[in-house]
Amino acid sequence: MVPRWRGLSWRVTRGAVLLVMVLGTSGGAGTRIVGAQEEPILTAEIISAGRVDYADEVGGPAVVTVQRITQPPGGRSGWHVHPGPAWVIVSRGEFVYHTADGCHTVQPAGSAFLERMGTVSNGRTEAAEEGELIVTLITPLGRQLRSGVAAPTATCPQ
């Protein structure tokens, strides 16, 4: 069975199945998100994850997950939100961080930023080289790491 997510299919490795069984529905474990034409958009690998009894950021029990995300040139995360905060470090390449207000910021290698809980965003690799992120997420227990949302239509007010 291949779960569907907003028109994208998830490819799950054998190790990911075990990790999902251990973590429940915290989601995203070792997945490769691919488009309808089987073109890679990004690869997300869980480096480590652990449960905490209480996290102030989500007001209860949570799973802290560290992921390595790679995107080929032209790759994108897709419009999404997180149910908790996600600290993002750009470890290689350059990402353009688009937000629902139609604005964007360029995040070069060595930069870090926070995706706040509930913030609609889309990270893209618009440069000619592959990009890599190290992301630490704090997710309420039993919730997925992210949820896809429809693309916003706002134009940046600049």
Side-chain angles (χ1 to χ4, degrees):
M1 179 176 147
V2 178
R4 301 294 286 170
W5 173 75
R6 294 253 180 212
L8 300 176
S9 63
W10 294 71
R11 293 213 177 159
V12 181
T13 64
R14 283 181 283 146
V17 171
L18 177 59
L19 190 52
V20 169
M21 288 172 26
V22 170
L23 294 178
T25 60
S26 61
T31 59
R32 179 175 172 210
I33 301 173
V34 297
Q37 308 302 335
E38 296 297 306
E39 296 177 36
I41 297 171
L42 67 82
T43 301
E45 169 195 3
I46 290 185
I47 296 170
S48 190
R51 180 182 171 164
V52 294
D53 291 333
Y54 186 85
D56 286 337
E57 297 82 357
V58 298
V63 176
V64 178
T65 306
V66 178
Q67 288 185 316
R68 176 181 294 114
I69 297 175
T70 55
Q71 288 184 358
R76 61 191 179 276
S77 66
W79 290 100
H80 67 281
V81 295
H82 297 284
W87 278 101
V88 181
I89 299 170
V90 180
S91 56
R92 186 166 34 95
E94 179 181 275
F95 285 81
V96 181
Y97 181 67
H98 294 263
T99 50
D101 61 3
C103 298
H104 67 276
T105 56
V106 176
Q107 300 289 344
S111 64
F113 60 97
L114 173 64
E115 285 189 52
R116 295 187 187 282
M117 174 179 13
T119 299
V120 175
S121 65
N122 184 3
R124 300 179 188 166
T125 306
E126 296 178 0
E129 67 180 86
E130 178 178 82
E132 179 182 78
L133 304 171
I134 302 299
V135 183
T136 302
L137 304 108
I138 301 174
T139 307
L141 194 62
R143 299 280 306 272
Q144 295 204 10
L145 294 174
R146 58 177 268 159
S147 297
V149 298
T153 57
T155 303
C156 189
Q158 295 182 16

